[in-house]
Amino acid sequence: MLGRRHCQLFSVNTFDNNIIAPLGVSWSLDPVSELEQRRAVMTSSPKVAVYSLSDLKNTTDDALPNYLTSLKVAQNHNHTDVRLLLGYLAVVVSGVTFYFDYTLGFDKTKYWTAWAVAAYFVLNGLFTWWIWRVEKGIVFQGSVKGQKLLLYSRTEKHIPIYHLTARYTSPSAPSLWQEVQLQAPFTRWFTADGFFVAKPFQQWLASEIPPIGQADPGNVVEEIGRGDGSARAMNVQPGRVEEVLDALKDASGRMAGSQGARSRRKA
Amino acid sequence: MLSALSSLQPRQLAAQVLNFALVLSTAFMLWKGLSVVTDSPSPIVVVLSGSMEPAFQRGDLLFLWNRGLDTQIGEIVVYNVRGKDIPIVHRVVRRFGGGDTPLRLLTKGDNNAADDTELYARGQSYLNRSKDVIGSVVGYIPFVGYVTILLSEYPWLKTVMLGLMGLTVVLQRE
């Protein structure tokens, strides 16, 4: 049985869309890969509708900060906080207006209601402006080892390509912003039936964006593939060699046995 | 669906709830804004009875304007009977005062045999333009208001509608 599992390990190293290392099965050959598999299992549980672009984008956008915070990148929530502040302030203004209008009647509150309506639409306008111009698709803002990092994502209507813009500084020049624009089709990290696989997504991020690559050098690879990275190395450890040889012997023994039977019959 | 909601972090959940709250509060503020502009506590009303036929049918939506304080005979006004919260839509048939003295109006439904003296509160025999009238009709859309009639006759419909709306806005992430 162990021999067969090894054979399966060798055959998973393809780039066929449908063959993916089944996650959740502990194929631990060494401790590092087990950690990565566990990380991958955590993020791959929800199944998305593969043809829904917004589902794909949202799942990817949700996975991104999860991955980065697991690398101990400090996340800055400023943009979300400002948006929530503006939004809830507007809601509070309308709530207070409703309360006073309900209890005191229209005539008494006419004057203040007029001001409240004006204030509400000003706040709403600021809120909309914040989302549209300042946020502009930001999915992550943070810093790692003195380098500031901002990530913006977008997709174009009905085209399943994930566009990511990364702006970062280097510790030696903290006011100089560099920008990298990446795109990749969602098929790189989604299986055909809609499961998100973290490993190729992490490899893509680490290989293309220098600050992330520095924080996670294990994921920087030349060619990004699917499944467990250690599978490609085919590192057969000394203890396992005997089992592989046994399996090979069994297989050849079966063939030899059938040949022997044929020769016996002849004789 | 709900499991996707539970897997959100607090900030994302707050953002989704904010979307729903903004829908409600924008609708409310638009209503209040219209109210302030027309100077009427209820700028859009629905005709509930057939007393103004053939001009207005039950279920018509009426748009009111309350800044024309010199109401003429023949204008259609909406007023609240003192002490009751039901708005009535009838036509002005007599007016007294105006200018220095407060304007007083007598109304009558086109489809009614008698004028509104019996509809007014006890002891009241005329309407005060500034206190009782909430606006005069400047436009209407036929039949659209029937939804409001349904909502008021079956109040559970309001809860159902609001609940469905809330659920769809909070759960979707388009």
Coordinates of all heavy atoms in Angstrom, one line a residue, chain B residues 71-130:
Chain B
T71 N -54.7 79.0 -1.3 CA -55.4 78.0 -2.0 C -56.7 78.5 -2.5 O -57.5 79.2 -1.8 CB -55.8 76.9 -1.0 OG1 -54.6 76.6 -0.2 CG2 -56.1 75.6 -1.7
Q72 N -57.0 78.3 -3.8 CA -58.2 78.8 -4.5 C -59.3 77.7 -4.4 O -59.1 76.6 -4.2 CB -57.9 79.1 -5.9 CG -56.8 80.1 -6.1 CD -57.1 81.4 -5.5 OE1 -58.2 81.9 -5.6 NE2 -56.1 82.0 -4.8
I73 N -60.5 78.2 -4.7 CA -61.6 77.2 -4.8 C -61.4 76.4 -6.1 O -61.1 76.9 -7.1 CB -63.0 78.0 -5.0 CG1 -63.2 78.8 -3.7 CG2 -64.1 77.1 -5.2 CD1 -64.4 79.7 -3.7
G74 N -61.6 75.1 -5.9 CA -61.4 74.2 -7.0 C -60.1 73.4 -6.9 O -59.9 72.4 -7.6
E75 N -59.2 73.8 -6.0 CA -58.0 73.1 -5.8 C -58.3 71.9 -5.0 O -59.2 71.9 -4.1 CB -57.0 73.9 -5.1 CG -56.1 74.8 -6.0 CD -55.0 75.5 -5.2 OE1 -54.3 74.8 -4.5 OE2 -54.8 76.7 -5.4
I76 N -57.5 70.8 -5.2 CA -57.7 69.6 -4.4 C -56.7 69.6 -3.3 O -55.5 69.7 -3.6 CB -57.6 68.4 -5.3 CG1 -58.5 68.4 -6.5 CG2 -57.8 67.1 -4.5 CD1 -58.4 67.4 -7.5
V77 N -57.1 69.5 -2.1 CA -56.2 69.5 -1.0 C -56.3 68.2 -0.2 O -57.3 67.5 -0.3 CB -56.5 70.7 0.0 CG1 -56.2 72.0 -0.7 CG2 -57.9 70.6 0.6
V78 N -55.2 67.9 0.5 CA -55.2 66.8 1.4 C -55.1 67.3 2.9 O -54.3 68.2 3.1 CB -54.0 65.9 1.2 CG1 -53.9 64.7 2.2 CG2 -54.0 65.3 -0.2
Y79 N -56.0 66.9 3.7 CA -56.0 67.4 5.1 C -56.1 66.3 6.1 O -56.6 65.2 5.7 CB -57.1 68.5 5.3 CG -58.5 67.9 5.1 CD1 -59.2 67.4 6.2 CD2 -59.1 67.9 3.9 CE1 -60.5 66.9 6.1 CE2 -60.4 67.4 3.7 CZ -61.1 66.9 4.8 OH -62.3 66.4 4.6
N80 N -55.7 66.6 7.3 CA -55.9 65.6 8.4 C -57.0 66.1 9.3 O -57.0 67.3 9.7 CB -54.6 65.5 9.3 CG -53.6 64.6 8.7 OD1 -54.0 63.6 8.1 ND2 -52.4 64.9 8.8
V81 N -58.0 65.2 9.6 CA -59.0 65.6 10.5 C -58.4 65.8 11.9 O -57.6 64.9 12.3 CB -60.1 64.6 10.5 CG1 -61.2 64.9 11.6 CG2 -60.7 64.4 9.2
R82 N -58.7 66.8 12.6 CA -58.1 67.1 13.9 C -58.3 66.0 14.8 O -59.4 65.5 15.1 CB -58.7 68.4 14.5 CG -57.7 69.5 14.6 CD -58.3 70.8 15.1 NE -58.3 71.8 14.1 CZ -59.1 72.9 14.2 NH1 -59.9 73.1 15.2 NH2 -59.0 73.8 13.2
G83 N -57.2 65.4 15.4 CA -57.4 64.3 16.3 C -57.2 63.0 15.7 O -57.0 62.0 16.3
K84 N -57.4 62.9 14.3 CA -57.2 61.6 13.7 C -56.1 61.7 12.7 O -55.7 62.7 12.3 CB -58.5 61.3 12.9 CG -59.8 61.3 13.7 CD -60.8 60.3 13.2 CE -62.1 60.4 14.0 NZ -63.1 61.2 13.2
D85 N -55.5 60.5 12.4 CA -54.3 60.5 11.6 C -54.6 60.1 10.1 O -53.7 59.8 9.4 CB -53.3 59.5 12.1 CG -51.9 60.0 11.9 OD1 -51.7 61.1 11.3 OD2 -51.0 59.2 12.2
I86 N -55.9 60.2 9.7 CA -56.2 59.7 8.4 C -56.3 61.0 7.5 O -57.0 61.9 7.7 CB -57.6 59.1 8.3 CG1 -57.7 58.1 9.5 CG2 -57.8 58.4 7.0 CD1 -59.2 57.7 9.8
P87 N -55.4 60.9 6.4 CA -55.5 62.1 5.5 C -56.7 61.9 4.5 O -57.0 60.8 4.0 CB -54.2 62.0 4.7 CG -53.7 60.6 4.8 CD -54.4 60.0 6.0
I88 N -57.4 63.0 4.2 CA -58.5 62.9 3.3 C -58.2 63.8 2.1 O -57.7 65.0 2.3 CB -59.8 63.4 4.0 CG1 -60.0 62.5 5.3 CG2 -61.0 63.4 3.1 CD1 -61.3 62.9 6.0
V89 N -58.6 63.3 0.9 CA -58.3 64.1 -0.3 C -59.7 64.6 -0.8 O -60.5 63.8 -1.3 CB -57.7 63.2 -1.4 CG1 -57.3 64.0 -2.6 CG2 -56.6 62.4 -0.8
H90 N -59.9 65.9 -0.8 CA -61.2 66.5 -1.3 C -60.9 67.8 -1.9 O -59.8 68.4 -1.8 CB -62.2 66.6 -0.2 CG -62.9 65.3 0.2 ND1 -63.6 65.2 1.3 CD2 -62.9 64.1 -0.5 CE1 -64.1 63.9 1.4 NE2 -63.6 63.3 0.3
R91 N -62.0 68.3 -2.6 CA -61.8 69.6 -3.3 C -62.3 70.8 -2.5 O -63.3 70.7 -1.7 CB -62.6 69.5 -4.6 CG -62.2 70.5 -5.7 CD -63.0 70.3 -6.9 NE -62.8 69.1 -7.6 CZ -61.9 68.9 -8.5 NH1 -61.1 69.8 -8.9 NH2 -61.8 67.7 -9.1
V92 N -61.7 71.9 -2.6 CA -62.1 73.1 -1.9 C -63.3 73.7 -2.6 O -63.3 74.0 -3.8 CB -60.9 74.2 -1.9 CG1 -61.4 75.5 -1.2 CG2 -59.8 73.6 -1.1
V93 N -64.4 74.0 -1.8 CA -65.6 74.5 -2.4 C -65.9 76.0 -1.9 O -66.7 76.7 -2.5 CB -66.8 73.6 -2.3 CG1 -66.6 72.4 -3.1 CG2 -67.1 73.3 -0.8
R94 N -65.4 76.3 -0.7 CA -65.6 77.7 -0.2 C -64.3 78.1 0.5 O -63.6 77.3 1.1 CB -66.7 77.7 0.9 CG -68.1 77.4 0.3 CD -69.0 78.6 0.6 NE -70.4 78.1 0.6 CZ -71.0 77.7 -0.4 NH1 -70.5 77.7 -1.6 NH2 -72.3 77.3 -0.2
R95 N -64.0 79.4 0.5 CA -62.9 79.9 1.3 C -63.3 81.2 2.0 O -64.1 82.0 1.5 CB -61.7 80.1 0.4 CG -61.9 80.9 -0.8 CD -60.5 81.1 -1.5 NE -59.9 82.3 -1.0 CZ -58.6 82.6 -1.2 NH1 -57.9 81.8 -1.9 NH2 -58.1 83.7 -0.7
F96 N -62.8 81.4 3.2 CA -63.1 82.6 4.0 C -61.8 83.1 4.5 O -60.9 82.4 4.8 CB -63.9 82.3 5.2 CG -65.1 81.4 5.0 CD1 -64.9 80.0 5.1 CD2 -66.3 81.8 4.6 CE1 -65.9 79.1 4.8 CE2 -67.4 81.0 4.4 CZ -67.2 79.6 4.5
G97 N -61.6 84.4 4.6 CA -60.4 85.0 5.1 C -59.3 85.1 4.1 O -59.6 85.3 2.9
G98 N -58.1 84.9 4.5 CA -57.0 85.1 3.6 C -56.4 86.5 3.8 O -57.1 87.4 4.3
G99 N -55.2 86.7 3.4 CA -54.6 88.1 3.6 C -54.2 88.2 5.0 O -53.4 87.4 5.5
D100 N -54.8 89.1 5.8 CA -54.4 89.3 7.2 C -55.0 88.2 8.1 O -54.3 87.8 9.0 CB -54.9 90.7 7.7 CG -54.1 91.8 7.0 OD1 -52.9 91.5 6.6 OD2 -54.6 92.9 6.9
T101 N -56.3 87.9 7.9 CA -56.9 86.8 8.7 C -56.5 85.4 8.2 O -56.3 85.3 7.0 CB -58.4 86.9 8.7 OG1 -58.8 86.9 7.4 CG2 -58.8 88.2 9.4
P102 N -56.4 84.4 9.1 CA -56.0 83.1 8.6 C -57.1 82.6 7.6 O -58.3 82.8 7.7 CB -56.0 82.3 9.9 CG -56.5 83.1 11.0 CD -56.5 84.5 10.6
L103 N -56.6 81.9 6.6 CA -57.4 81.4 5.5 C -58.2 80.1 6.0 O -57.6 79.2 6.6 CB -56.5 81.0 4.3 CG -57.2 80.5 3.1 CD1 -58.2 81.5 2.6 CD2 -56.2 80.1 2.0
R104 N -59.5 80.1 5.8 CA -60.3 79.0 6.2 C -61.0 78.4 5.0 O -61.4 79.1 4.1 CB -61.3 79.4 7.3 CG -60.6 80.0 8.5 CD -61.6 80.5 9.5 NE -62.5 81.5 9.0 CZ -63.3 82.2 9.8 NH1 -63.3 81.9 11.1 NH2 -64.1 83.1 9.3
L105 N -61.0 77.1 4.9 CA -61.6 76.4 3.8 C -62.7 75.4 4.1 O -62.7 74.8 5.2 CB -60.4 75.6 3.1 CG -59.1 76.3 2.7 CD1 -58.1 75.3 2.3 CD2 -59.4 77.3 1.6
L106 N -63.6 75.2 3.2 CA -64.6 74.2 3.3 C -64.4 73.2 2.1 O -64.2 73.7 1.0 CB -66.0 74.8 3.2 CG -67.1 73.7 3.3 CD1 -67.1 73.1 4.7 CD2 -68.5 74.4 3.1
T107 N -64.4 71.9 2.4 CA -64.1 71.0 1.3 C -65.3 70.0 1.1 O -66.1 69.9 1.9 CB -62.9 70.2 1.6 OG1 -63.1 69.5 2.9 CG2 -61.6 71.0 1.7
K108 N -65.2 69.4 -0.1 CA -66.3 68.4 -0.4 C -65.7 67.4 -1.4 O -65.0 67.8 -2.4 CB -67.5 69.2 -1.1 CG -68.6 68.2 -1.5 CD -69.7 69.0 -2.2 CE -70.8 68.2 -2.8 NZ -70.2 67.3 -3.9
G109 N -66.0 66.1 -1.2 CA -65.6 65.1 -2.2 C -66.5 65.2 -3.4 O -67.7 65.3 -3.3
D110 N -65.8 65.0 -4.6 CA -66.6 65.1 -5.9 C -67.7 64.1 -5.9 O -68.8 64.3 -6.4 CB -65.7 64.9 -7.1 CG -64.7 66.0 -7.3 OD1 -65.0 67.1 -6.7 OD2 -63.8 65.9 -8.1
N111 N -67.4 62.9 -5.3 CA -68.4 61.8 -5.4 C -69.3 61.8 -4.2 O -70.2 60.9 -4.1 CB -67.6 60.5 -5.5 CG -68.3 59.5 -6.3 OD1 -69.3 59.8 -7.0 ND2 -67.9 58.2 -6.2
N112 N -69.2 62.7 -3.3 CA -70.1 62.8 -2.1 C -71.3 63.7 -2.4 O -71.2 64.7 -3.1 CB -69.3 63.3 -0.9 CG -68.3 62.3 -0.4 OD1 -68.3 61.1 -0.8 ND2 -67.5 62.7 0.5
A113 N -72.4 63.4 -1.7 CA -73.5 64.2 -1.9 C -73.4 65.5 -1.0 O -73.8 66.6 -1.5 CB -74.8 63.5 -1.4
A114 N -72.9 65.4 0.2 CA -72.8 66.6 1.1 C -71.4 67.0 1.2 O -70.4 66.3 0.9 CB -73.4 66.2 2.4
D115 N -71.2 68.3 1.8 CA -69.8 68.7 2.0 C -69.2 68.1 3.2 O -69.9 67.3 3.9 CB -69.7 70.2 2.0 CG -70.6 70.8 3.2 OD1 -70.7 70.1 4.2 OD2 -71.1 71.9 3.0
D116 N -68.0 68.4 3.6 CA -67.3 67.7 4.6 C -67.6 68.1 6.1 O -66.9 67.7 7.0 CB -65.8 67.8 4.4 CG -65.3 67.1 3.2 OD1 -66.1 66.3 2.6 OD2 -64.2 67.2 2.8
T117 N -68.6 68.9 6.3 CA -68.8 69.4 7.6 C -69.0 68.3 8.6 O -68.5 68.4 9.8 CB -70.1 70.3 7.7 OG1 -70.1 71.1 6.5 CG2 -70.1 71.2 8.8
E118 N -69.5 67.2 8.2 CA -69.7 66.1 9.1 C -68.4 65.3 9.3 O -68.3 64.5 10.3 CB -70.8 65.1 8.6 CG -72.2 65.8 8.6 CD -73.3 64.9 8.1 OE1 -73.0 63.7 7.8 OE2 -74.4 65.4 8.1
L119 N -67.5 65.4 8.4 CA -66.3 64.7 8.6 C -65.3 65.4 9.6 O -64.5 64.7 10.2 CB -65.5 64.5 7.2 CG -66.1 63.6 6.2 CD1 -65.4 63.6 4.9 CD2 -66.1 62.1 6.8
Y120 N -65.5 66.7 9.7 CA -64.5 67.4 10.6 C -64.8 67.0 12.0 O -65.8 66.4 12.3 CB -64.7 68.9 10.4 CG -64.5 69.4 9.0 CD1 -65.0 70.6 8.6 CD2 -63.7 68.7 8.1 CE1 -64.8 71.1 7.4 CE2 -63.5 69.2 6.9 CZ -64.0 70.4 6.5 OH -63.8 70.9 5.2
A121 N -63.8 67.3 12.9 CA -64.0 67.0 14.3 C -65.2 67.7 14.9 O -65.6 68.7 14.3 CB -62.7 67.3 15.1
R122 N -65.7 67.3 16.0 CA -66.8 67.9 16.7 C -66.5 69.4 17.0 O -65.4 69.7 17.6 CB -67.1 67.2 18.0 CG -68.5 67.6 18.6 CD -68.9 66.6 19.6 NE -69.1 65.2 19.0 CZ -69.5 64.2 19.6 NH1 -69.7 64.3 20.9 NH2 -69.7 63.0 19.1
G123 N -67.4 70.3 16.6 CA -67.1 71.7 16.9 C -66.3 72.4 15.8 O -66.2 73.6 15.8
Q124 N -65.8 71.6 14.9 CA -65.0 72.2 13.8 C -65.9 72.3 12.6 O -66.5 71.3 12.1 CB -63.8 71.3 13.5 CG -62.9 71.9 12.5 CD -61.8 70.9 12.0 OE1 -61.9 69.7 12.4 NE2 -60.9 71.3 11.3
S125 N -66.0 73.5 12.0 CA -66.9 73.6 10.8 C -66.1 74.1 9.6 O -66.6 74.4 8.6 CB -68.1 74.5 11.1 OG -67.7 75.7 11.7
Y126 N -64.8 74.3 9.7 CA -63.9 74.7 8.6 C -62.5 74.2 8.8 O -62.2 73.8 10.0 CB -63.9 76.2 8.4 CG -63.6 76.9 9.7 CD1 -62.3 77.1 10.1 CD2 -64.6 77.4 10.5 CE1 -62.0 77.7 11.3 CE2 -64.3 78.0 11.7 CZ -63.0 78.2 12.1 OH -62.7 78.8 13.3
L127 N -61.7 74.2 7.8 CA -60.3 73.9 7.9 C -59.5 75.1 7.9 O -59.7 76.1 7.2 CB -59.9 73.0 6.7 CG -60.5 71.6 6.5 CD1 -60.0 71.1 5.1 CD2 -60.1 70.7 7.6
N128 N -58.4 75.0 8.7 CA -57.5 76.1 8.8 C -56.3 75.7 7.8 O -55.7 74.7 8.0 CB -56.9 76.2 10.2 CG -56.1 77.4 10.4 OD1 -55.3 77.8 9.6 ND2 -56.3 78.1 11.5
R129 N -56.1 76.6 6.8 CA -55.1 76.2 5.8 C -53.7 75.9 6.3 O -53.1 75.0 5.9 CB -55.0 77.4 4.8 CG -53.9 77.2 3.7 CD -54.2 76.0 2.8 NE -53.1 75.8 1.9 CZ -52.0 75.1 2.1 NH1 -51.8 74.6 3.3 NH2 -51.1 75.0 1.1
S130 N -53.3 76.7 7.3 CA -51.9 76.5 7.7 C -51.8 75.3 8.7 O -50.7 74.6 8.8 CB -51.3 77.7 8.3 OG -52.3 78.3 9.2

